[in-house]
Amino acid sequence: MLPKEKWKKAWEWKKLLAEKKTSPKEICEEYLKRAEQDKTNAFIKLTPEWARGVAQSVSQDSQDVMSGIPIGLKDNLVTKGIETTCGSKILQNYKPPYDGTVVKKLKDLQAVVIGKCNLDEFAMGSSNENSAYGSVSLPQKENYVPGGSSGGSAAAVAGGLVVHALGSDTGGSVRQPASFCGVVGLKPTYGRVSRYGLVAFASSLDQIGPLALDVQDCADMYDSIAGYDPLDSTSANRKNESCGLRVREVRESKSKRDEKLKSLTVGLPKEFFGEGLSDDVRASIDACIQKMRAKGVKFKEVSLPHSKFALPVYYVVAVSEASTNLSRYDGVRFGPRILPHENKTTLEEMYSATRGALFGPEVKRRILLGTFALSSGYYDAYYKKACQVRNLISQDFIRTFHDVDVILGPTTPTVSFEKGAKSNDPLSMYLSDIYTVPVNLAGVPAVSIPSGLGNHQLPVGLQIIGPSFSEPELLSAAATIESLLEE
Amino acid sequence: MSHPTYHGFEAVIGLEVHAQLSTNSKLFSSSPNAFGNSPNRNINPVCTAQPGALPVLNKKAVEYAVKAGLATNCEIRLRSIFARKNYFYPDLPKGYQISQFEHPICEKGWLDIEFEHEPEKKEQKRVGITRIHMEEDAGKSQHMSGYSLVDLNRAGTPLIEIVSEPDFRSSTEAVAYLKKLRAILQYLDVCDGNMQEGNFRCDANVSVRKIGAEKFGTRAELKNLNSFRFLEKAIEYEIQRQINVINSGGKVVQETRLYDSAKNITASMRSKEEAHDYRYFPDPDLPPLVIEKNYVEAIKKDLPELPDEKATRFVSAFGIPEYDAKVITSTKALASFYEGAVDHSANEPKLVSNWLMTEVLRKLKEDEKEIEDCPFTADKLGQLIQLIKSGEISSKIAKTVFEEMWLSGDSPKSIVEKKGLIQVSDPGAIEEAIRKVMQASPKQLADFRSGKDKLFGYFVGQVMKETQGKANPAMVNSLVMAFLKGEKS
């Protein structure tokens, strides 16, 4: 059973609220209760006071899709006065002096924030085993990973602890856990959602994205957070079109949906169906394709030839940016400070003791790699070269979208795996992002929706990729496929 | 052109100047860009590098950088890139400084400078400007015993770094360039140019080579040069030090050296091996800075009158000597003072220039002050000139009035009135004084009349003394003569 069959979606709650069959307070208490009894460790911190405060003041009749709806925030989203740890000891007890833009928007919309969700430290990881606050379990199967880095957000949605949640996606960190947990996750076009107040991992790749039970909720949440922000220089100054409305159209009219399916041209990149793709995932995706074909969807085999370089390029670009983004955690202005020799500690000793003790191994590995890649004499061979190849990867997508509306494939090569299975083998862990990483490098939007179940009855994710700034078309395509799969 | 030489060696010097831009807010945040507030007041999440905070470029700072580039004859790049310069220090909150590296906003400029290696031997030179780039300043650290304090008020303040070609051959040339550059930035109103407050700072790259050698010697970078005098002394010291090293068979090493003004020496701060690898790379938080040609043209059109143009105008419009014009236009404040005084002088620009060049500059030099510290305003100097011109006071009295203005800052009129210094031009009063003097000096009178003409001066002096110097000198002269000749009595 997929989470969306088990828990109420936001639009369902809104209906019940409109019919006065429940109240924001009741909804809030129901979710808080489940969150307090959570055994998956999805939260780093619960925020019941914040949640209750909003639930009490929000109007029963508020039309906005977010108002009164319990949500979770990945703990790398900055919340004023409320601990924001990034899953790291280096930000233990750090209370930011400001709200990020997205958090501010959700506050204004009176969303009910249940808590700050667990994550891999500084969003670096694919299994949520890299959190200083403990790993997160897959709600469907204990001792399995929920994916990462937005593992807590995905598990909270799948476990019914929140209605939907925000994550961040640098190389797949929203879509991969969405896929593992059987929920919907969107990585918007780079620049669509403000990064102001998102703790940076890799600035040119990071994007905040929603995790939800279905495409409708995902689209509604996206509408609430997207838009130009003058506080983020990489934010796109373009008009926003409502995705929620487009999805609603498809969902409410079967004929419209079928019409849309007939007009859809889908690209299947051969690079996403090759070696490394596990049989159960392949079977699930193939079954989807068959269903779609039967409804008249046109398929084309396409090629993204440079995507084979995506992982190495990603692990140069992302770690290089990360190595300097994380320089500010130095024990000087915030977070704990470690002085090994009390009164006689030198500055160098303070830096290395603080950073040495409070960063986890994966974060340190990436800082070292990034520092090396940017260092004098290596810059041209690594960072500069990686940026050039990144451009080629981006061109592959642009070219392909001349011929197809969307690109479709698996979100991840396998379903969720057991905790510990890959934690000592970073390279095999990195491979779980092989289909998601090219999307971040190209800056295009992509959504993962559940396609069915694979091994151990664990969810499989279908990734749909669109051209830059095509979220309305992308999400309405996702809604048609979702609706078809429900039949 | 004479080349200063140092016992067979020649010096090669280049300057790197950091000028703080006088924008209202910081380079990448809305925090106020202000000097003198109590510590850690002018800060916000961006300039304290809170997690998640992002930089947004200040448009005014771009305008100022373009102005500086145009005024120093640079090419303005329509696309420039901000880069991160990475190093750890407590007053550098992000652990990197946002700067420009590969693609700065201005390149390939020049400035003409004038200087004298020997008195009265004026020389000119065109100095190359390699580049001007924009960057943010760091905060300030204060080291106490056993701990340090960090003030982030300055963190994120906009700077331009102006890098010259290694075109200077002496400290004199370097100082002439630095003064000219400062004047230009002040004229543009983009930088206050106060070296003590640190909003105009300078590092010098110094090397020496045997005369005739093609290759540059190994250079040392000198820091902590926070006045023109220190720049001059540090360079001269360093040239001599490097020559001594070579002459005693040693090798100059590439290093950064700190100038110690108390001891007048430079001392090694860090060697090349200890130098940072700054790991420059384009800042992914800031897209390339793209400006339009029209924008640059509009700024160009609006550039104010710069020192050289102003000096030329002063010579032609006011008829003052070129030398005076150059001195007066050497700082914006001095030029404004002059123009302000001329405006109130009843059209006596030459007289104003004389008084400014002699009296005012002498006083400032004595007190080690700048024109900004002048105790009275420009209009008051103009009024003083008016009083002289109209004959209300003599030049001699004017000097007394000037001294009083220097002490009290009062207007010359009120000083003259208060002290009763108004020139006596009433013939009756002067004649009265002459009679008194003649009565008291029968011997001198007899001597004069018997042919000792030189005694004329004696009588004039006595009359001036009798009138406490207030008598109109021209009238005293003619009346004394009339009395001595017996035409009057």
Side-chain angles (χ1 to χ4, degrees):
Chain A
M1 192 162 72
L2 284 170
K4 69 175 171 186
E5 294 153 29
K6 201 167 169 190
W7 312 111
K8 282 193 186 62
K9 275 82 83 179
W11 57 271
E12 290 172 325
W13 280 121
K14 290 307 285 191
K15 221 183 253 172
L16 292 174
L17 282 167
E19 291 162 2
K20 309 273 192 270
K21 289 185 177 147
T22 184
S23 69
K25 267 202 255 180
E26 267 177 42
I27 300 173
C28 174
E29 291 307 323
E30 184 183 328
Y31 281 87
L32 272 178
K33 193 173 153 201
R34 281 204 292 271
E36 275 156 9
Q37 292 165 355
D38 170 41
K39 297 214 162 50
T40 63
N41 196 29
F43 293 101
I44 289 177
K45 184 185 172 69
L46 290 175
T47 52
E49 282 177 30
W50 184 1
R52 289 191 174 109
V54 176
Q56 256 161 30
S57 66
V58 68
S59 148
Q60 173 105 26
D61 308 317
S62 168
Q63 294 294 306
D64 193 276
V65 284
M66 294 304 299
S67 65
I69 299 299
I71 64 164
L73 299 173
K74 189 177 183 177
D75 204 25
N76 59 355
L77 293 167
V78 162
T79 45
K80 186 174 180 176
I82 290 171
E83 286 93 328
T84 302
T85 68
C86 289
S88 181
K89 281 190 222 162
I90 212 156
L91 281 175
Q92 199 157 29
N93 300 322
Y94 169 63
K95 290 182 182 170
Y98 75 108
D99 276 324
T101 298
V102 160
V103 171
K104 210 157 172 270
K105 284 186 175 193
L106 292 173
K107 269 188 177 176
D108 291 346
L109 294 172
Q110 295 192 292
V112 174
V113 178
I114 297 291
K116 305 289 300 279
C117 298
N118 208 337
L119 70 159
D120 284 301
E121 186 177 1
F122 285 103
M124 297 177 184
S126 308
S127 67
N128 222 311
E129 291 168 289
N130 296 336
S131 169
Y133 302 89
S135 66
V136 179
S137 298
L138 186 70
Q140 289 91 332
K141 198 169 166 69
E142 212 190 327
N143 216 34
Y144 272 63
V145 302
S149 67
S150 310
S153 299
V157 173
L161 316 179
V162 295
V163 177
H164 39 202
L166 286 182
S168 65
D169 192 318
T170 307
S173 280
V174 163
R175 290 158 289 154
Q176 189 255 18
S179 168
F180 280 14
C181 292
V183 299
V184 175
L186 169 72
K187 198 290 282 185
T189 308
Y190 185 78
R192 258 304 187 205
V193 180
S194 168
R195 294 186 298 114
Y196 189 74
L198 165 66
V199 180
F201 158 17
S203 315
S204 73
L205 299 159
D206 294 342
Q207 218 23 216
I208 298 171
L211 291 119
L213 292 166
D214 69 357
V215 176
Q216 181 69 64
D217 272 9
C218 179
D220 287 338
M221 173 70 116
Y222 166 77
D223 285 341
S224 309
I225 60 169
Y228 173 64
D229 180 8
L231 295 178
D232 173 2
S233 309
T234 62
S235 164
N237 195 353
R238 303 170 63 115
K239 229 184 108 200
N240 273 36
E241 194 193 331
S242 168
C243 296
L245 281 177
R246 294 284 292 270
V247 170
R248 212 156 269 125
E249 270 174 23
V250 173
R251 209 164 45 79
E252 284 168 1
S253 156
K254 214 162 208 172
S255 62
K256 258 200 179 154
R257 184 202 75 181
D258 289 346
E259 221 173 277
K260 188 161 174 65
L261 283 168
K262 281 199 186 77
S263 69
L264 200 62
T265 307
V266 174
L268 300 173
K270 58 181 183 190
E271 291 82 4
F272 286 15
F273 291 90
E275 210 186 324
L277 178 61
S278 71
D279 293 340
D280 58 329
V281 173
R282 186 190 298 273
S284 175
I285 303 297
D286 280 347
C288 291
I289 294 172
Q290 288 318 317
K291 270 193 174 177
M292 290 165 71
R293 212 187 287 276
K295 282 282 182 184
V297 174
K298 289 179 282 299
F299 284 94
K300 261 191 185 173
E301 195 191 79
V302 296
S303 178
L304 304 165
H306 297 95
S307 62
K308 61 172 175 285
F309 304 120
L311 269 188
V313 165
Y314 174 81
Y315 276 98
V316 172
V317 172
V319 299
S320 297
E321 293 180 8
S323 71
T324 98
N325 280 334
L326 269 60
S327 293
R328 66 187 62 191
Y329 308 107
D330 55 4
V332 174
R333 282 147 297 121
F334 39 73
R337 175 187 300 171
I338 296 178
L339 303 175
H341 315 296
E342 274 295 313
N343 293 326
K344 285 186 291 184
T345 307
T346 66
L347 184 60
E348 294 285 323
E349 286 168 339
M350 181 193 85
Y351 284 149
S352 54
T354 303
R355 291 167 65 86
L358 302 178
F359 280 139
E362 182 62 27
V363 172
K364 279 189 223 168
R365 173 161 34 238
R366 295 193 192 192
I367 290 175
L368 288 174
L369 280 170
T371 304
F372 174 75
L374 289 178
S375 56
S376 154
Y378 297 95
Y379 176 83
D380 286 352
Y382 293 107
Y383 188 77
K384 205 165 175 186
K385 182 65 75 186
C387 289
Q388 288 163 343
V389 180
R390 178 181 183 176
N391 195 32
L392 295 175
I393 292 169
S394 194
Q395 295 302 321
D396 281 355
F397 279 95
I398 291 170
R399 205 187 46 244
T400 304
F401 284 124
H402 290 152
D403 300 330
V404 301
D405 299 317
V406 293
I407 292 170
L408 186 147
T411 307
T412 61
T414 68
V415 295
S416 167
F417 44 84
E418 252 181 297
K419 285 186 187 175
K422 298 183 179 182
S423 40
N424 292 320
D425 183 0
L427 283 181
S428 110
M429 185 74 92
Y430 295 170
L431 279 172
S432 57
D433 296 329
I434 190 157
Y435 306 136
T436 48
V437 153
V439 169
N440 298 75
L441 291 170
V444 296
V447 60
S448 176
I449 65 171
S451 68
L453 300 174
N455 290 346
H456 314 291
Q457 294 297 297
L458 292 175
V460 174
L462 175 73
Q463 179 174 233
I464 312 160
I465 309 167
S468 285
F469 302 106
S470 71
E471 279 85 353
E473 293 76 27
L474 174 68
L475 288 170
S476 80
T480 60
I481 299 167
E482 177 187 57
S483 151
L484 184 63
L485 295 177
E486 279 167 6
E487 280 182 359
Chain B
M1 189 184 293
S2 86
H3 246 49
T5 60
Y6 302 84
H7 316 290
F9 285 90
E10 145 182 276
V12 176
I13 304 156
L15 296 187
E16 289 171 17
V17 173
H18 286 91
Q20 268 182 17
L21 300 178
S22 47
T23 52
N24 292 330
S25 54
K26 293 186 179 179
L27 185 53
F28 296 111
S29 84
S30 56
S31 288
N33 174 25
F35 179 82
N37 279 26
S38 55
N40 295 313
R41 284 284 175 275
N42 304 338
I43 56 171
N44 71 8
V46 178
C47 44
T48 56
Q50 299 296 316
L54 294 172
V56 176
L57 180 61
N58 181 337
K59 275 189 190 161
K60 204 76 189 168
V62 176
E63 183 191 319
Y64 284 10
V66 170
K67 273 187 180 170
L70 290 171
T72 51
N73 312 294
C74 285
E75 292 171 15
I76 310 297
R77 268 185 186 270
L78 299 182
R79 188 173 187 274
S80 60
I81 308 267
F82 285 99
R84 293 184 182 177
K85 177 181 180 179
N86 294 284
Y87 65 94
F88 282 97
Y89 205 69
D91 59 24
L92 187 73
K94 294 188 292 295
Y96 57 85
Q97 176 194 30
I98 305 177
S99 180
Q100 294 188 310
F101 183 56
E102 273 188 312
H103 305 285
I105 189 157
C106 313
E107 281 182 307
K108 298 179 192 160
W110 49 263
L111 269 191
D112 286 334
I113 56 167
E114 284 182 18
F115 48 89
E116 289 175 9
H117 281 124
E118 292 159 48
E120 308 290 313
K121 271 194 159 173
K122 207 171 288 170
E123 296 176 48
Q124 276 196 345
K125 187 172 199 171
R126 178 159 291 185
V127 175
I129 290 175
T130 317
R131 57 186 276 158
I132 300 178
H133 66 252
M134 306 174 71
E135 63 185 24
E136 55 179 350
D137 211 342
K140 274 183 185 165
S141 295
Q142 203 179 332
H143 303 293
M144 320 299 278
S145 91
Y147 63 99
S148 296
L149 298 170
V150 176
D151 175 7
L152 296 180
N153 282 350
R154 201 182 69 181
T157 290
L159 296 176
I160 47 175
E161 182 175 335
I162 304 153
V163 182
S164 84
E165 292 289 305
D167 285 349
F168 310 108
R169 295 292 170 266
S170 72
S171 60
T172 308
E173 295 175 20
V175 168
Y177 164 82
L178 194 64
K179 283 187 172 167
K180 181 79 174 268
L181 186 60
R182 185 177 77 149
I184 287 174
L185 298 182
Q186 287 174 329
Y187 272 77
L188 294 171
D189 250 333
V190 303
C191 174
D192 295 340
N194 189 322
M195 292 184 84
Q196 270 75 48
E197 283 183 11
N199 63 39
F200 186 76
R201 311 194 286 267
C202 172
D203 299 336
N205 287 308
V206 178
S207 65
V208 298
R209 63 180 170 189
K210 278 261 164 62
I211 286 177
E214 284 278 313
K215 247 182 84 185
F216 289 155
T218 306
R219 68 169 193 269
E221 185 182 358
L222 307 186
K223 287 188 176 290
N224 199 31
L225 313 172
N226 49 21
S227 76
F228 293 116
R229 210 158 53 91
F230 292 165
L231 171 67
E232 182 177 347
K233 287 183 148 188
I235 290 175
E236 288 304 324
Y237 174 87
E238 182 61 20
I239 291 170
Q240 212 46 62
R241 186 193 69 83
Q242 291 186 11
I243 290 171
N244 292 345
V245 167
I246 293 168
N247 281 343
S248 57
K251 265 191 172 166
V252 176
V253 293
Q254 191 176 332
E255 61 184 350
T256 303
R257 299 179 69 88
L258 211 58
Y259 177 65
D260 179 338
S261 58
K263 296 185 189 150
N264 188 32
I265 57 164
T266 66
S268 182
M269 193 169 112
R270 58 171 178 257
S271 71
K272 191 188 175 189
E273 286 71 34
E274 297 165 274
H276 298 288
D277 176 358
Y278 290 120
R279 289 175 283 122
Y280 281 103
F281 81 112
D283 191 331
D285 285 331
L286 291 161
L289 168 59
V290 177
I291 53 178
E292 309 228 329
K293 233 182 172 141
N294 290 343
Y295 169 83
V296 177
E297 288 305 317
I299 292 176
K300 200 172 195 171
K301 245 195 219 157
D302 269 3
L303 282 184
E305 190 181 38
L306 294 172
D308 288 349
E309 298 168 73
K310 207 183 257 294
T312 308
R313 178 168 65 85
F314 284 178
V315 171
S316 62
F318 295 151
I320 63 174
E322 197 188 325
Y323 176 79
D324 294 12
K326 286 273 180 202
V327 171
I328 290 170
T329 55
S330 67
T331 74
K332 188 191 178 192
L334 192 56
S336 311
F337 194 93
Y338 173 67
E339 287 181 295
V342 169
D343 282 349
H344 290 85
S345 71
N347 201 20
E348 281 297 323
K350 276 183 170 171
L351 209 48
V352 174
S353 156
N354 288 342
W355 275 79
L356 188 59
M357 294 287 294
T358 53
E359 299 307 315
V360 178
L361 292 187
R362 174 181 59 82
K363 275 287 185 190
L364 290 174
K365 201 170 177 190
E366 276 173 21
D367 295 4
E368 290 181 15
K369 282 180 169 174
E370 299 290 330
I371 188 71
E372 287 89 336
D373 310 315
C374 180
F376 52 81
T377 47
D379 56 319
K380 287 177 184 156
L381 180 64
Q383 288 163 16
L384 183 67
I385 305 301
Q386 262 195 60
L387 293 178
I388 300 170
K389 185 73 203 309
S390 66
E392 280 178 71
I393 58 173
S394 65
S395 299
K396 196 166 169 232
I397 291 287
K399 292 207 171 147
T400 314
V401 175
F402 178 83
E403 294 292 332
E404 186 56 33
M405 284 164 71
W406 195 265
L407 289 176
S408 65
D410 284 347
S411 80
K413 267 219 164 89
S414 74
I415 292 169
V416 165
E417 278 163 19
K418 226 186 294 167
K419 303 226 156 180
L421 294 175
I422 288 203
Q423 181 159 283
V424 178
S425 302
D426 167 17
I430 296 173
E431 285 170 14
E432 184 60 40
I434 295 174
R435 278 184 208 105
K436 253 189 192 168
V437 169
M438 292 182 89
Q439 268 169 28
S441 316
K443 187 176 169 338
Q444 286 85 347
L445 187 59
D447 287 352
F448 180 86
R449 287 190 173 151
S450 59
K452 275 199 170 176
D453 289 355
K454 273 192 286 180
L455 280 166
F456 175 70
Y458 163 80
F459 285 102
V460 170
Q462 289 300 304
V463 173
M464 290 309 281
K465 200 172 168 187
E466 183 63 35
T467 59
Q468 290 151 337
K470 289 183 285 183
N472 182 325
M475 289 177 74
V476 171
N477 278 348
S478 63
L479 286 171
V480 165
M481 191 50 87
F483 271 86
L484 291 174
K485 285 187 177 164
E487 290 161 9
K488 276 191 179 239
S489 61

